[in-house]
Amino acid sequence: MACRGACCCGCGPVNEDNARFIMLLLLIILYLLCGAAVFSALEHPKEKQAKEKWAQRFELFSQKYNLNKSDLEKFLRHYEEANMAGIRVDTLRPRWDFTGAFYFVGTVVSTIGFGMTTPATVGGKIFLIFYGLIGCAATILFFNLFLERIITVLAFVLKSCHEVQRRRKGVLPHDSRQDARLNREDSLAGWKPSVYCVMLILCVAAIIISSCASAMYSSIEGWGYLDSLYFCFVAFSTIGFGDMVSSQRASYENQTVYRICNFFFILMGVCCIYSLFNVISIVIKQVLNWLLKKLEIPCRHCPRRSLRPRRNAVMPAHVRKRVRNISIDTDAVNDSETDGRRMSGEMISMRDFLVANKVNLAIMQKQLSETANGHPRPCGSTNRHNGFSGGVGALGIMNNRLAETSADR
């Protein structure tokens, strides 16, 4: 890769943000191509077999009842229109009574969008545009706030486990007096929970929720357990194909209890998977930073040129210390504090990674650190960047960008 700043050899500046964006774009395209090849190899033969089987059935049916093929095709098109309106051969629950409409708006604001129910009137389609705009935004905000609270709980749990582990090793005193408590706080001042521990806990939670929900669906809906797991992932990840949808029969045994449990599992599953996706995206960004470091090639025409690192540059702690002290989000990070500390087992040291990722990871890790050490951020802090700072995931990116823009004015 070229130099990151202006270069005497005339090479265009390529900063880490753009390089990371381009690399991620290329990897996503490669990922899509590989996925398309795999699914085409798995599903295309089944599709051809289904087409041949349908052609044979259509031919036999038209000959058996002496029907005109064009008239039969017109009738089937009419049934497809009725099917889109919610009419099925089997007796199903009403689509647009209050409970059916409530189920529909739930799939809209959660962005699941199964597709088995869609508005057919012009007024319904127009109302959906404005309703979904506000509802989806509010639900995404709810998911981000849910993630922050999950991080808070995990921070307390991980900090407690870390304290117990250090006491067993004799690093922390067992005395509960105030001086001992202050000493423990000082000794744990630089500790931060590992991103990988958070990812593992969220993954286990998602597996437990999906397994319990799949057991319920397989027994009540009559699906296979593997099909139920497939439905759980499609629903919880808000992909929502609509080929399998729960709670669609006209009646169930213990119907009220089942629908409440169905709502609870979908809500918890979506929140958990959304949180897991955010943490996985942080790990992916960490891998991209590591790849950029490995692929970085210094300019041969200006080897002695001292380049000023970008704010998102990934640099070792000892190099970063020579350049300047860098602050993360709203709280400064002093490089004089135990450089190279890796008490959480990260692939890249948490200090390097925090400084490298000011936008997304810094918010999550700062939340973890503050909560774990028992020092939450004051509500009236002056380092709020004009009220824009805060949030996780996409919300955090927007807030930090707004904060930077507001601070520059």
Side-chain angles (χ1 to χ4, degrees):
M1 298 179 68
C3 290
R4 288 173 293 200
C7 183
C8 61
C9 61
C11 298
V14 179
N15 57 56
E16 284 78 2
D17 291 334
N18 294 334
R20 183 165 46 243
F21 173 78
I22 294 173
M23 178 177 290
L24 181 60
L25 177 62
L26 294 177
L27 290 177
I28 289 176
I29 293 175
L30 179 62
Y31 194 73
L32 293 175
L33 293 175
C34 294
V38 172
F39 280 111
S40 178
L42 293 174
E43 301 295 335
H44 189 59
K46 183 70 174 179
E47 180 189 24
K48 293 175 62 177
Q49 183 181 358
K51 285 183 177 180
E52 294 175 357
K53 189 175 181 179
W54 168 250
Q56 292 177 1
R57 288 183 174 180
F58 185 84
E59 185 70 25
L60 291 174
F61 187 83
S62 60
Q63 291 179 1
K64 181 178 179 180
Y65 295 100
N66 195 20
L67 297 175
N68 186 282
K69 292 183 179 180
S70 60
D71 293 337
L72 183 57
E73 289 175 352
K74 290 180 181 178
F75 179 78
L76 292 175
R77 289 192 183 96
H78 290 315
Y79 175 73
E80 289 178 354
E81 294 177 359
N83 193 24
M84 292 180 63
I87 307 301
R88 303 290 193 275
V89 175
D90 300 327
T91 303
L92 299 178
R93 61 183 292 183
R95 298 294 188 191
W96 293 110
D97 62 348
F98 184 79
T99 57
F102 185 81
Y103 192 90
F104 167 73
V105 296
T107 62
V108 170
V109 299
S110 64
T111 70
I112 296 176
F114 285 123
M116 80 289 182
T117 303
T118 56
T121 63
V122 176
K125 293 177 181 178
I126 294 175
F127 179 72
L128 176 65
I129 295 174
F130 296 99
Y131 184 85
L133 183 66
I134 299 175
C136 293
T139 306
I140 291 174
L141 174 62
F142 171 79
F143 289 158
N144 281 286
L145 297 178
F146 177 87
L147 175 58
E148 290 181 356
R149 278 140 188 83
I150 286 292
I151 293 172
T152 301
V153 173
L154 293 180
F156 278 116
V157 174
L158 293 175
K159 177 177 179 291
S160 300
C161 294
H162 187 70
E163 286 185 0
V164 171
Q165 184 180 5
R166 299 197 72 193
R167 282 199 191 97
R168 290 178 178 176
K169 294 181 178 179
V171 179
L172 292 179
H174 293 271
D175 196 351
S176 58
R177 291 177 299 178
Q178 184 176 1
D179 294 339
R181 182 178 60 82
L182 294 176
N183 292 332
R184 287 198 301 271
E185 290 181 357
D186 293 338
S187 62
L188 293 173
W191 178 83
K192 294 181 178 67
S194 171
V195 177
Y196 303 107
C197 290
V198 176
M199 183 176 65
L200 179 62
I201 294 173
L202 288 174
C203 186
V204 172
I207 291 174
I208 293 174
I209 294 174
S210 299
S211 299
C212 296
S214 299
M216 181 185 70
Y217 292 135
S218 59
S219 61
I220 297 178
E221 297 288 350
W223 300 337
Y225 191 78
L226 183 60
D227 290 336
S228 299
L229 283 174
Y230 160 79
F231 166 76
C232 287
F233 177 77
V234 170
F236 297 167
S237 61
T238 70
I239 296 174
F241 289 127
D243 53 342
M244 299 177 66
V245 183
S246 61
S247 188
Q248 293 303 300
R249 296 180 191 172
S251 61
Y252 291 91
E253 186 178 356
N254 298 323
Q255 179 170 293
T256 303
V257 177
Y258 170 61
R259 288 183 176 176
I260 293 175
C261 292
N262 179 54
F263 174 79
F264 172 78
F265 277 125
I266 290 180
L267 177 64
M268 296 303 299
V270 170
C271 291
C272 190
I273 293 295
Y274 178 85
S275 303
L276 182 61
F277 282 170
N278 273 271
V279 177
I280 292 176
S281 67
I282 293 171
V283 176
I284 292 175
K285 189 174 181 181
Q286 185 177 10
V287 174
L288 291 176
N289 291 335
W290 179 79
L291 289 175
L292 286 176
K293 288 184 64 178
K294 293 297 182 182
L295 295 175
E296 183 177 333
I297 302 175
C299 182
R300 293 176 296 179
H301 300 280
C302 48
R304 297 182 181 179
R305 182 178 177 86
S306 177
L307 296 175
R308 183 180 180 86
R310 299 258 315 163
R311 60 182 176 82
N312 285 336
V314 178
M315 300 174 58
H318 64 279
V319 176
R320 192 173 62 251
K321 186 175 181 180
R322 298 173 194 166
V323 180
R324 61 189 177 95
N325 289 337
I326 303 176
S327 63
I328 299 175
D329 190 30
T330 59
D331 296 331
V333 175
N334 297 321
D335 289 303
S336 60
E337 297 178 0
T338 61
D339 284 333
R341 181 180 301 176
R342 300 189 182 185
M343 302 179 67
S344 302
E346 295 82 0
M347 182 171 62
I348 298 175
S349 67
M350 188 57 68
R351 181 179 300 279
D352 294 343
F353 189 45
L354 281 169
V355 174
N357 297 278
K358 181 180 178 181
V359 176
N360 194 358
L361 178 65
I363 303 169
M364 178 178 291
Q365 289 296 333
K366 191 163 67 62
Q367 171 90 10
L368 286 166
S369 177
E370 290 174 349
T371 308
N373 290 298
H375 300 291
R377 182 192 302 180
C379 297
S381 175
T382 58
N383 295 325
R384 293 289 295 179
H385 287 314
N386 297 328
F388 289 121
S389 179
V392 180
L395 182 67
I397 295 175
M398 179 180 293
N399 286 342
N400 277 268
R401 294 303 186 191
L402 288 172
E404 294 166 3
T405 305
S406 177
D408 293 338
R409 291 178 180 176

